[in-house]
Amino acid sequence: RECLSKLRDDGSTWSQLGEPAQGECKAKLLQILEAEQAPKVRSKVADIVQSLGNQLIDIDPTLRPQNADTWPELMPTLMRIVMDGSQLEGLRADALWTVKELITSIWPIFVANANNTAMVLKASFASPADAIKGNAGQLFCELIDQLDKKEERAVFVPLIEDLCGVLQKLSSADDNKDINNLLQALQGTPQSADFFKDAIGTTLVPILSTIAKSHKEDDTQRLALEALVSIAEGKPKAMAKVPGFVQSTLEVAVQFLLMLSDDIEGWSAQDDDEDDAAELEENFTNGKEVIDRLSRCMAQNDRFPVVMSTLKPVIAGLFQVGDWKHTVAGLAVMSQIVEFIDDEAMILEMLSAVRAQLKATNPRCRHAAWSAVAQFGEDHGEIVTSEAIASELLPEFLSGLDDTCQRAQVRCMEAFQVYGSEVEREIMEPFVQPMMEKLGRLLQSSPLQVQKKTITFIAVLAGQMEDGFAPYYGPLMPVLKQLVQGLLHKTEERTLLGKTLECISLLAASVGTEGFRGDAEGIMKVMIEATQVPNLPSNDPVKEYMLEASQRICATMKNDFLPFVPHILPGILDKFTLAPKECSTEAVAALGEDDEVNLTLTQENGKIKVMIMSTSEVEDLQNAVACVHTFVEELGKAYAPFVAQTAQALLLVFDFSMAEEIRDMAFDTWGQLCHSAREGGSADVVGQLVHEFLKRILPKFETVSDAANLDQEALKTAADGITACLRKAGAGVLSPDQVRHICKVAFETVGASFKIRDADEQCKKATQHGDDEDEGDSGEEEGANLRIACCEIVGALMQHHPDAVMAECHGMCMELVSRFIVPTARWQDRGLALFVVCDMLEHLGARVTPHWPQFMPQLVQDCTAPSPSIRQPACYGVSLAAKEPAFASMAQGVAATLMQLVQQTRSGSKKKSEKPAQACADNALSALVNIAMNHQQAVSGMDAQIWGVWLQGLPCQVDEEEGVKNHKILLRLVEAEKREIVGDGGANLPMVLSVFVDVYKTDMADKETSQGIGQLVVKLGQQRLEQLAPKLKEKQQKKLLRIHREASQ
């Protein structure tokens, strides 16, 4: 069996047999299978047969042969055994199992003999033997999963009723093995969901629901519910229309939520992190997951209201019952669905129900309520951490720290890790001291589990308060250093050690370089020592914490961190050698007993290889690359001495195939190396880095003519890498010929991606019927992302090589723009054209003004497009064009359109779903201010109105890049005392000050703007500030005091 599993390997035993011996071996296997009486031996023979058959049989999926030429005796023999009622039932069941395992290789034969196939299945369904019925049911489901075309599935539709009968009979059997296997086979794909959809509501759902609710075995119940939700995920739009489907699935899931242990004391004694805790109430966990998955797939297809309309009365009913189990279930349901709710009033109503349970008498209710608070904070941080809500919830956290049930107390701390990270500093400030008093006691006199969460709680406070946390540095740092020394060699407490190092790095950020300088060397020495403790497990958590802490300390100390780099960089770069290994007995044996494993398939010299790598190694590599990225980004030109060493190590990661996000980070780090070398004055090194990168990456694009084998996700990562490299490298690194070649390759890749899309759509049309709905296509999403990434390469070329692009590539750019900017193009393609237009306007400037008639009319028209995906780039493009004198003739009309857009959007809903619209308005503000500043004469009759709309539309809400631009301009205009901005007699200063306070030291203002805001506040003087402050919100008044204090130091 082991020899035959490696049939295709070079020099395999099978290849050495020769054709006559191979034929004899195949015949002998079938003889042994039929003759063997011992069930265990026979099942192993059946496994050999299916393994050999799957490796030998390779049928073109477009053909429908009557038999397998490479083993013509196989299928007739197996089907004869299945249909021979005189044979042992176990033998017939094993033959059916073998056919089922072969189905991915032989399904075209079954389609060619569809009527015979249906007859065999129907006869097997009628067998009195559970194993035969069950294996036939699995075969049926596996076969349907292979069939894309509805007409090929049609002959099997009458068998659905028979399958449902099998389900019912197997569900009442004493042994649940056969029903479990059949339920697993029923777990839906788009093909099977489409096949069953007409029978789901009337037949399949009632049976699966009954099994899920009332089968005597929990694992069978879970598999039945999994079958229901997987069908929904396969065809969510279709399932949303099936009467009772969503309702029945949710009814079962909610019933699972009520399957809770009555042993409160035993539950309280466990930790949430323990595996046993989840296993004891696996149905409860499963019920939550199903509600989340069903909600997610429906929301992704605009069908969540179907879920919500079902669950609203269910939630109300659960809370009305009043006992703790129903309350916990109600809290769990709200936690799972809140992510998909967009109505602020409903979110706050649900949060009110959660708050009411934070002090419930039953610890399980308090625990579930804190879990809900964490989920609400993660999904709707802006809403639930507003000043009004946070002022009510933060005292609850203070109370939660004293919870007498440790498990509820710990969950309170975990909730703060999420919720507290969203609370603004000024809102948090009054609660820090009372929290720290309690946390200090917990840190020194609590069980290990509580100590871990205490450290994390303190770290969140330090991160949010920044330099406002500095007063706690003196008393807290000695305690943390003592804790580190005590934990350094305790391998069983590595997580607490890691969390302590994390907290120290956040404390360092609170006091800055000068405050941390005295402790820096000792802490760095301890962190290095912590990772060198012998006999550590491969998944040692300290490694990740140490790297993250190093990044924070580097960001705090900047160039003062440089002396530590030579000591820690070699160990980090060593991690870059981690790579997947080909799956083999030796590779598997080298894995740790508890290691989770990642798998991927690669193709080398026409052979498919299975590659494996432990999850801990993948994480080590990812963390190492992220750490180096931070070092290069933060140290800038100071990192130049380490560029060559880092680049050499980084090359090993370029071909990492296990996770695209790791390669993406590696490519971006290479771009940062280019920037560091350029800033360090090493132009020759920059050139070497760019050409080495292009030499390794560009060939991946030069073979895109074979569109069928295009790995669009991997190419997108590579395209992003080229863009990062070219943008960071700057000007003068490419010749005109190189610019033309790169541009040509980028647009050829775009063309190849379009060919894939066209081919996929043709294939889809061939397999769909008129009543089918489009359920989304992740493959096209990958294609769209690749096309955008390729156009961004061209944008990077425009940025630093504008003249070469105009001379060598402008025709290619205009060809794409002219083709897709038309209103009849699909919105994704029109968006692509707009992205290219924006790059031309930004980087080519007046060079493309003569070509405006080909795209500018549509660009302006698209500023009011219904889709934000079109409206945002159009507004951005107008903001760029408005800087050019040629825009004067259209300035007035465009300004009127943009003012209306801003006013309508800003007065609209603040829902999360409206963020794309607010981002459009942010870009429209950039366009308005550029029109007002560059075309005063053209808009002379409406300039006051433009300035008024612009000021009232600030601050920017979503688009951080546009926020930085607009708020910088606002500061400059206020400093210049522009009347339209400050108003007569400073009438507008309260509005202006409100904007500045909101954006100060946020991502909406760069460092220079925040410093300027501070200087402006000081310049206004105490008396003027006292006049203006009462017109601000209470939270803004507190922040204004901080701005004044920081600027006065």
Side-chain angles (χ1 to χ4, degrees):
R1 182 169 59 162
E2 184 68 21
C3 290
L4 291 180
S5 70
K6 299 180 179 179
L7 195 79
R8 295 174 179 172
D9 289 1
D10 292 335
S12 67
T13 303
W14 181 260
S15 65
Q16 295 176 36
L17 287 177
E19 192 171 333
Q22 288 173 354
E24 191 175 332
C25 181
K26 289 188 286 187
K28 193 67 175 176
L29 278 172
L30 294 176
Q31 291 172 16
I32 295 173
L33 175 66
E34 190 167 3
E36 181 58 55
Q37 299 293 305
K40 289 185 177 180
V41 177
R42 189 173 60 237
S43 67
K44 291 188 177 182
V45 176
D47 192 23
I48 295 173
V49 171
Q50 69 84 16
S51 176
L52 182 60
N54 276 316
Q55 293 178 84
L56 289 176
I57 300 170
D58 185 14
I59 299 173
D60 185 333
T62 63
L63 302 179
R64 298 294 179 264
Q66 294 292 316
N67 201 359
D69 293 340
T70 51
W71 195 349
E73 304 84 9
L74 175 63
M75 289 310 300
T77 300
L78 291 174
M79 300 309 281
R80 175 178 56 77
I81 293 172
V82 169
M83 294 301 290
D84 188 350
S86 65
Q87 296 278 19
L88 292 172
E89 290 178 344
L91 170 61
R92 294 171 63 201
D94 285 339
L96 272 168
W97 178 88
T98 306
V99 175
K100 186 260 296 184
E101 292 296 305
L102 285 163
I103 197 65
T104 56
S105 300
I106 62 173
W107 65 266
I109 300 173
F110 275 45
V111 175
N113 299 277
N115 290 326
N116 289 336
T117 302
M119 180 185 68
V120 170
L121 288 168
K122 190 172 184 66
S124 300
F125 288 157
S127 170
D130 288 348
I132 293 176
K133 286 198 293 280
N135 287 347
Q138 293 177 63
L139 172 59
F140 178 61
C141 295
E142 298 280 358
L143 174 61
I144 297 304
D145 280 347
Q146 302 299 318
L147 305 183
D148 292 329
K149 296 180 180 179
K150 188 169 285 190
E151 56 269 25
E152 291 186 337
R153 299 197 297 256
V155 69
F156 303 109
V157 170
L159 294 177
I160 293 176
E161 187 175 345
D162 298 83
L163 179 71
C164 291
V166 170
L167 273 170
Q168 284 185 308
K169 289 176 182 175
L170 292 180
S171 67
S172 59
D174 292 334
D175 189 340
N176 68 339
K177 174 185 173 184
D178 293 312
I179 183 64
N180 283 0
N181 288 336
L182 180 51
L183 289 171
Q184 285 178 314
L186 260 174
Q187 292 175 15
T189 65
Q191 286 86 355
S192 60
D194 184 61
F195 175 75
F196 287 115
K197 70 180 181 182
D198 291 335
I200 281 176
T202 57
T203 311
L204 203 55
V205 167
I207 294 172
L208 290 174
S209 297
T210 300
I211 295 172
K213 288 178 183 178
S214 58
H215 197 276
K216 61 184 179 181
E217 300 294 342
D218 285 354
D219 58 340
T220 304
Q221 291 180 335
R222 290 192 292 272
L223 286 169
L225 182 55
E226 176 62 30
L228 284 169
V229 75
S230 63
I231 289 170
E233 289 173 325
K235 284 281 184 179
K237 290 182 180 179
M239 294 305 107
K241 293 180 179 180
V242 174
F245 176 84
V246 170
Q247 292 81 354
S248 296
T249 304
L250 290 171
E251 183 182 346
V252 176
V254 171
Q255 180 176 315
F256 275 33
L257 295 179
L258 294 168
M259 295 180 182
L260 299 169
S261 169
D262 292 315
D263 184 4
I264 301 294
E265 188 175 340
W267 172 88
S268 299
Q270 292 178 314
D271 290 336
D272 284 320
D273 296 336
E274 292 179 5
D275 292 337
D276 290 345
E279 289 176 5
L280 285 173
E281 295 182 338
E282 199 168 345
N283 276 17
F284 175 77
T285 302
N286 192 244
K288 290 195 299 182
E289 290 175 354
V290 166
I291 292 173
D292 176 71
R293 288 166 57 191
L294 184 63
S295 299
R296 188 173 306 281
C297 73
M298 291 296 170
Q300 288 171 346
N301 290 274
D302 301 320
R303 298 296 187 274
F304 180 70
V306 178
V307 175
M308 195 63 209
S309 63
T310 300
L311 286 178
K312 278 186 76 173
V314 170
I315 295 170
L318 289 169
F319 281 104
Q320 286 170 2
V321 171
D323 71 23
W324 72 265
K325 288 187 179 182
H326 285 79
T327 300
V328 169
L331 291 166
V333 172
M334 292 195 297
S335 297
Q336 301 311 305
I337 66 172
V338 69
E339 175 184 354
F340 312 104
I341 297 174
D342 203 31
D343 182 78
E344 182 172 339
M346 183 176 294
I347 292 166
L348 293 177
E349 182 182 351
M350 291 167 62
L351 183 63
S352 178
V354 171
R355 275 195 60 212
Q357 299 301 323
L358 292 175
K359 291 181 179 176
T361 54
N362 190 291
R364 294 214 59 168
C365 293
R366 300 196 299 274
H367 180 276
W370 284 121
S371 297
V373 168
Q375 196 64 54
F376 277 59
E378 183 174 329
D379 296 331
H380 298 285
E382 290 184 14
I383 295 173
V384 301
T385 60
S386 67
E387 187 171 10
I389 302 301
S391 62
E392 296 175 350
L393 267 177
L394 289 173
E396 301 284 5
F397 282 101
L398 272 169
S399 300
L401 290 174
D402 296 325
D403 200 306
T404 55
C405 172
Q406 181 180 310
R407 193 165 175 182
Q409 179 191 38
V410 165
R411 183 47 58 96
C412 164
M413 294 180 170
E414 291 171 337
F416 187 80
Q417 185 176 349
V418 178
Y419 184 86
S421 299
E422 298 290 328
V423 178
E424 292 186 27
R425 172 175 170 170
E426 276 65 39
I427 301 173
M428 182 80 78
E429 195 164 17
F431 300 93
V432 175
Q433 184 175 344
M435 284 179 173
M436 285 301 299
E437 290 174 358
K438 294 188 176 187
L439 293 167
R441 292 193 294 270
L442 292 172
L443 185 61
Q444 299 184 57
S445 60
S446 297
L448 181 64
Q449 178 73 356
V450 177
Q451 279 189 315
K452 291 178 186 177
K453 303 305 177 183
T454 301
I455 289 287
T456 304
F457 200 117
I458 293 171
V460 172
L461 287 175
Q464 291 304 100
M465 294 303 297
E466 299 174 322
D467 58 348
F469 201 74
Y472 300 96
Y473 183 92
L476 191 56
M477 184 58 83
V479 176
L480 295 178
K481 288 165 69 175
Q482 183 180 359
L483 190 59
V484 167
Q485 289 298 333
L487 295 171
L488 199 55
H489 297 284
K490 293 183 178 179
T491 55
E492 71 278 8
E493 297 178 3
R494 299 289 287 177
T495 299
L496 179 56
L497 174 59
K499 288 180 178 292
T500 307
L501 294 174
E502 174 189 47
C503 190
I504 287 173
S505 69
L506 286 162
L507 272 180
S510 74
V511 294
T513 304
E514 292 303 319
F516 186 62
R517 194 187 304 279
D519 292 312
E521 185 174 352
I523 294 300
M524 292 303 302
K525 182 179 178 181
V526 166
M527 288 203 299
I528 295 170
E529 185 181 349
T531 60
Q532 295 174 346
V533 173
N535 303 318
L536 292 174
S538 60
N539 59 350
D540 176 32
V542 170
K543 292 182 291 186
E544 179 179 355
Y545 282 112
M546 190 277 278
L547 291 176
E548 290 179 350
S550 297
Q551 293 174 66
R552 290 192 195 93
I553 294 172
C554 176
T556 298
M557 301 191 71
K558 304 295 183 185
N559 286 1
D560 288 332
F561 185 79
L562 206 60
F564 303 118
V565 174
H567 300 286
I568 63 174
L569 186 61
I572 297 172
L573 296 183
D574 280 346
K575 299 294 183 185
F576 288 9
T577 61
L578 294 171
K581 298 179 178 64
E582 186 173 1
C583 187
S584 64
T585 304
E586 295 78 14
V588 172
L591 295 169
E593 184 178 344
D594 298 324
D595 280 348
E596 294 182 3
V597 180
N598 291 44
L599 299 175
T600 189
L601 300 176
T602 62
Q603 191 167 8
E604 188 175 317
N605 299 324
K607 291 185 177 180
I608 301 294
K609 291 185 177 180
V610 178
M611 310 297 289
I612 64 171
M613 188 174 183
S614 71
T615 301
S616 62
E617 285 187 330
V618 173
E619 291 172 349
D620 284 350
L621 177 58
Q622 186 167 12
N623 294 329
V625 175
C627 189
V628 171
H629 184 278
T630 298
F631 288 174
V632 185
E633 187 174 35
E634 294 291 343
L635 296 174
K637 66 180 181 181
Y639 194 83
F642 308 101
V643 165
Q645 176 188 5
T646 304
Q648 189 63 39
L650 201 57
L651 289 173
L652 298 173
V653 191
F654 278 19
D655 293 322
F656 186 78
S657 59
M658 194 67 74
E660 285 300 318
E661 59 269 24
I662 293 178
R663 287 207 307 154
D664 189 43
M665 179 68 76
F667 292 160
D668 198 64
T669 303
W670 192 275
Q672 293 290 349
L673 291 176
C674 293
H675 178 72
S676 175
R678 177 170 287 280
E679 291 295 302
S682 303
D684 56 333
V685 174
V686 177
Q688 292 169 16
L689 288 170
V690 171
H691 292 113
E692 179 67 25
F693 189 88
L694 294 176
K695 182 179 74 174
R696 290 176 176 267
I697 303 301
L698 209 55
K700 299 178 186 297
F701 294 84
E702 291 166 348
T703 58
V704 297
S705 56
D706 184 10
N709 295 321
L710 213 62
D711 186 342
Q712 298 195 93
E713 184 183 12
L715 281 178
K716 189 266 182 187
T717 303
D720 288 341
I722 294 174
T723 299
C725 185
L726 294 178
R727 289 198 191 281
K728 295 294 184 181
V733 295
L734 299 176
S735 69
D737 286 345
Q738 289 173 317
V739 170
R740 180 178 65 251
H741 177 64
I742 295 170
C743 191
K744 181 172 177 286
V745 166
F747 280 127
E748 285 177 348
T749 306
V750 171
S753 178
F754 276 128
K755 287 182 180 177
I756 291 178
R757 184 181 74 181
D758 293 343
D760 287 347
E761 288 180 352
Q762 288 299 319
C763 180
K764 202 170 184 180
K765 286 178 182 177
T767 58
Q768 277 190 334
H769 286 242
D771 60 341
D772 289 339
E773 287 197 70
D774 183 9
E775 300 282 357
D777 186 350
S778 60
E780 170 46 22
E781 184 179 348
E782 288 179 0
N785 291 337
L786 171 61
R787 296 191 289 274
I788 292 170
C790 287
C791 289
E792 287 176 347
I793 293 176
V794 179
L797 293 172
M798 293 179 191
Q799 181 178 357
H800 294 304
H801 305 275
D803 292 325
V805 169
M806 284 301 297
E808 305 290 342
C809 316
H810 186 252
M812 289 183 262
C813 297
M814 288 306 302
E815 182 181 350
L816 183 142
V817 169
S818 300
R819 179 181 173 189
F820 293 123
I821 203 165
V822 294
T824 52
R826 64 177 81 187
W827 71 264
Q828 297 96 330
D829 300 346
R830 199 152 108 235
L832 192 69
L834 288 171
F835 295 152
V836 176
V837 166
C838 289
D839 278 329
M840 290 195 298
L841 290 169
E842 182 174 8
H843 303 305
L844 303 182
R847 298 176 184 85
V848 293
T849 304
H851 302 277
W852 276 19
Q854 297 178 60
F855 58 78
M856 190 58 73
Q858 188 62 49
L859 180 75
V860 170
Q861 185 176 332
D862 281 340
C863 287
T864 56
S867 169
S869 299
I870 299 298
R871 203 160 66 244
Q872 183 171 350
C875 290
Y876 177 65
V878 168
S879 76
L880 300 169
K883 298 176 182 180
E884 300 297 331
F887 191 80
S889 62
M890 59 186 83
Q892 193 170 73
V894 173
T897 298
L898 294 173
M899 284 192 293
Q900 185 178 7
L901 169 63
V902 170
Q903 289 172 321
Q904 287 179 347
T905 306
R906 289 294 196 247
S907 64
S909 168
K910 303 299 182 185
K911 293 179 179 180
K912 187 177 6 178
S913 60
E914 292 300 315
K915 282 192 173 185
Q918 295 296 343
C920 297
D922 292 342
N923 283 265
L925 289 173
S926 297
L928 278 175
V929 76
N930 282 333
I931 290 172
M933 291 193 302
N934 294 289
H935 302 283
Q936 297 95 328
Q937 187 173 352
V939 296
S940 57
M942 57 191 303
D943 56 337
Q945 186 184 1
I946 294 174
W947 285 116
V949 171
W950 179 71
L951 181 58
Q952 290 167 13
L954 295 175
C956 289
Q957 304 291 309
V958 178
D959 193 320
E960 293 169 0
E961 185 177 338
E962 300 312 302
V964 170
K965 294 177 189 175
N966 279 278
H967 304 137
K968 184 183 288 290
I969 293 171
L970 177 63
L971 178 64
R972 192 168 71 239
L973 295 174
V974 173
E975 289 172 338
E977 298 184 3
K978 186 172 179 63
R979 185 181 61 81
E980 291 88 346
I981 300 301
V982 298
D984 293 332
N988 292 339
L989 278 179
M991 187 190 312
V992 169
L993 197 58
S994 174
V995 172
F996 284 153
V997 169
D998 284 346
V999 305
Y1000 177 77
K1001 286 192 175 180
T1002 71
D1003 292 332
M1004 287 290 179
D1006 59 20
K1007 186 176 181 180
E1008 181 185 3
T1009 300
S1010 290
Q1011 288 174 344
I1013 291 171
Q1015 292 166 4
L1016 177 67
V1017 167
V1018 172
K1019 185 179 177 181
L1020 284 171
Q1022 189 73 26
Q1023 184 177 357
R1024 193 64 192 277
L1025 288 174
E1026 288 176 357
Q1027 295 171 351
L1028 295 170
K1031 298 177 182 179
L1032 302 179
K1033 298 175 184 176
E1034 184 180 351
K1035 179 183 72 173
Q1036 291 176 318
Q1037 293 177 23
K1038 292 177 183 178
K1039 189 171 181 181
L1040 180 61
L1041 287 173
R1042 172 163 69 94
I1043 296 171
H1044 188 275
R1045 183 177 65 248
E1046 291 175 352
S1048 301
Q1049 291 173 349

